């Protein structure tokens, strides 16, 4: 009986904290996927991580980093060309 009581308390805790709802939503999304992903675990990780409140900010930062990497590569290329021109003169 003690273990049943602990299980019930834990279940109530998960329900109150929204964990059960979140897991249910992600599992339903996986179920409704027309083409099942190769890794169900990766799907769950991605969708659970995507629900974090700061996620839009993180995604914006990732895009900014990608843009900065492209600009950096372009500047490096330009730098090489300019060094070559300077050597000629």
């Amino acid at each position: 009986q003690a273990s049943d009581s602990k299980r019930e308390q834990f279940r109530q805790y998960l329900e109150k904290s929204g964990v059960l709802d979140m897991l249910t939503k992600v599992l339903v999304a996986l179920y409704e996927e027309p083409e099942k992903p190769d890794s169900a675990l990766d799907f769950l990780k991605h969708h659970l991580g995507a629900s974090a409140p700061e996620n839009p900010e993180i995604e914006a930062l990732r895009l900014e980093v990608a843009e900065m990497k492209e600009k950096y590569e372009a500047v490096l290329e330009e730098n090489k060309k300019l060094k070559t021109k300077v050597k000629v003169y």
Side-chain angles (χ1 to χ4, degrees):
Q1 269 184 342
S3 65
D4 286 344
S5 174
K6 285 184 179 182
R7 279 190 205 149
E8 181 59 24
Q9 287 174 350
F10 186 65
R11 189 196 61 75
Q12 288 175 354
Y13 162 74
L14 292 175
E15 191 173 340
K16 285 180 185 176
S17 63
V19 172
L20 291 180
D21 284 339
M22 182 59 64
L23 286 173
T24 301
K25 287 177 185 175
V26 173
L27 291 172
V28 167
L30 177 58
Y31 175 77
E32 292 176 346
E33 272 295 305
E35 293 184 27
K36 302 296 183 241
D38 292 333
S39 171
L41 185 58
D42 286 343
F43 180 92
L44 294 175
K45 286 178 182 178
H46 173 74
H47 282 78
L48 288 173
S51 65
E54 68 277 4
N55 190 52
E57 186 176 318
I58 290 172
E59 189 58 33
L61 291 172
R62 283 186 181 137
L63 290 173
E64 186 177 349
V65 166
E67 289 173 9
M68 292 296 171
K69 284 181 180 178
E70 287 179 22
K71 288 180 182 179
Y72 172 74
E73 294 298 327
V75 168
L76 283 180
E77 189 61 34
E78 182 182 12
N79 189 10
K80 285 181 186 177
K81 289 177 183 177
L82 291 173
K83 282 182 178 180
T84 304
K85 283 185 178 180
V86 167
K87 285 182 182 178
V88 170
Y89 296 115

